[in-house]
Amino acid sequence: MRWDDFRSSSNVEDDREASASRGGMPGGAGGLGIGTIIILGLIGWALGIDPSVLINGAQILSGGGAPSQQTDEAPRVNAGTPNDMTGQFVAAVLGDTEDRWTEIFAASGRTYHPPRLRLFAGSEPTPCAFAQSAMGPFYCPRDQRVYLDTSFFDDLQNKFGGCSDSKACKFSEAYVVAHEVGHHVQDELGILPRVMQAQQAASSNAEVNQLQVRVELQADCLAGVWANRAQRKHNFLDPGDVDQALQTASAIGDDRLQKETQGYVVPDSFTHGSSAQRKRWFMNGFNSGQISACDTISANSL
């Protein structure tokens, strides 16, 4: 993958040094212990939206009452382009998502308002859940920020085998950023608020999870739409890059994660989609380059 021609975004907030020195985690959320929260984070691990959805769901099921709201604001951090190579890469990918989605929205008479992306190390307070590196990257709709601990890129390569070497990982890493930006696109289009209302009205945890799967698969598809448009603009993909992204999608499917962490698969507990589903919807977006190919919300079959 060649990314040197991408425009770097000025919307990256680098809080890695300060967050690493802060450390720690609040002693439970709404009565849940730290261990439970970490386990829930691992279940919802690997690309998501607002992990407090899982935490709040556990509170209801365990008799803890209505979902609590995390009200902490993210610390104030100046936005700009980081100085290190990883930060610059993230800024470049984010910048290109801004350019491509601005073009796509403008073609339909809309205005795209890009998100901020917060880099942190270890943990970070947010208006959603308390961000932990174990939870993986996620999008918080309450402050329209993507939260990313870049150690997740190392985990893709070393822990879950999402790509074979550091060079081959680059497009997989770009896919991670583009997936989270896909959640922001859903927010901009009004899809997230509608789905979150439907989740609140759901009669079972399985129904909540199914809606979450549809949201996550759509973000995969929207990441594919971005990759299609970026390839048209920059011709930046090397042979095998898309295969590496599909390998990453496969590595972080719910079925594979559950099999590796608990030894068995529980489809009703899926929150991100199976490996095959993630690959299929990414390719729908990549092959078409159109938002219309990403209607996972009303699709009869995923």
Side-chain angles (χ1 to χ4, degrees):
M1 172 185 170
R2 302 176 300 277
W3 52 273
D4 291 347
D5 292 336
F6 287 12
R7 177 189 65 81
S8 291
S9 173
S10 60
N11 286 317
V12 177
E13 300 171 337
D14 191 351
D15 198 35
R16 285 173 291 181
E17 183 175 350
S19 59
S21 64
R22 282 195 300 268
M25 182 175 184
L32 292 178
I34 293 175
T36 303
I37 293 172
I38 292 175
I39 291 170
L40 287 166
L42 289 171
I43 292 172
W45 205 75
L47 309 184
I49 172 174
D50 188 355
S52 64
V53 170
L54 289 175
I55 295 171
N56 289 338
Q59 287 178 281
I60 295 173
L61 292 175
S62 63
S68 63
Q69 298 294 315
Q70 175 71 292
T71 58
D72 291 343
E73 291 186 7
R76 292 186 179 276
V77 178
N78 291 331
T81 301
N83 295 322
D84 66 297
M85 186 172 294
T86 298
Q88 290 174 354
F89 173 75
V90 170
V93 174
L94 183 65
D96 198 72
T97 65
E98 292 169 355
D99 293 344
R100 304 289 76 79
W101 284 114
T102 294
E103 294 169 353
I104 294 170
F105 272 51
S108 60
R110 294 175 177 267
T111 300
Y112 179 65
H113 306 93
R116 295 290 181 100
L117 188 150
R118 173 66 62 93
L119 297 175
F120 70 96
S123 62
E124 185 86 353
T126 88
C128 291
F130 193 83
Q132 291 280 301
S133 57
M135 290 178 175
F138 70 91
Y139 173 71
C140 177
R142 293 173 191 158
D143 66 356
Q144 297 188 320
R145 278 185 174 88
V146 171
Y147 289 86
L148 171 64
D149 184 330
T150 52
S151 66
F152 181 77
F153 295 155
D154 296 329
D155 289 336
L156 278 181
Q157 181 177 347
N158 299 321
K159 186 179 294 184
F160 285 92
C163 46
S164 56
D165 61 65
S166 57
K167 183 178 183 298
C169 276
K170 280 302 177 188
F171 186 57
S172 297
E173 294 169 3
Y175 153 68
V176 169
V177 175
H179 173 100
E180 298 308 330
V181 171
H183 285 309
H184 179 70
V185 171
Q186 292 171 318
D187 207 3
E188 289 276 281
L189 295 173
I191 295 170
L192 278 189
R194 293 197 297 271
V195 171
M196 293 173 79
Q197 287 178 353
Q199 285 181 314
Q200 291 171 0
S203 58
S204 68
N205 204 44
E207 186 178 349
V208 170
N209 290 342
Q210 180 59 212
L211 288 166
Q212 193 75 9
V213 167
R214 291 179 181 272
V215 167
E216 295 298 336
L217 293 178
Q218 186 175 60
D220 283 328
C221 187
L222 294 172
V225 171
W226 163 76
N228 172 288
R229 300 301 183 99
Q231 176 67 357
R232 290 191 210 174
K233 177 70 175 179
H234 303 292
N235 191 28
F236 73 108
L237 293 175
D238 294 323
D241 282 342
V242 173
D243 289 340
Q244 288 294 341
L246 292 177
Q247 186 175 332
T248 297
S250 175
I252 55 183
D254 278 319
D255 50 349
R256 179 167 172 181
L257 288 174
Q258 288 188 356
K259 185 70 174 177
E260 291 187 2
T261 57
Q262 64 189 25
Y264 55 92
V265 175
V266 184
D268 280 351
S269 69
F270 284 5
T271 58
H272 294 76
S274 69
S275 296
Q277 288 171 329
R278 301 200 75 161
K279 292 168 66 174
R280 173 193 167 193
W281 283 101
F282 175 85
M283 288 307 300
N284 277 4
F286 184 73
N287 289 331
S288 69
Q290 302 293 328
I291 294 177
S292 58
C294 299
D295 186 12
T296 61
I297 307 302
S298 58
N300 291 328
S301 174
L302 297 177

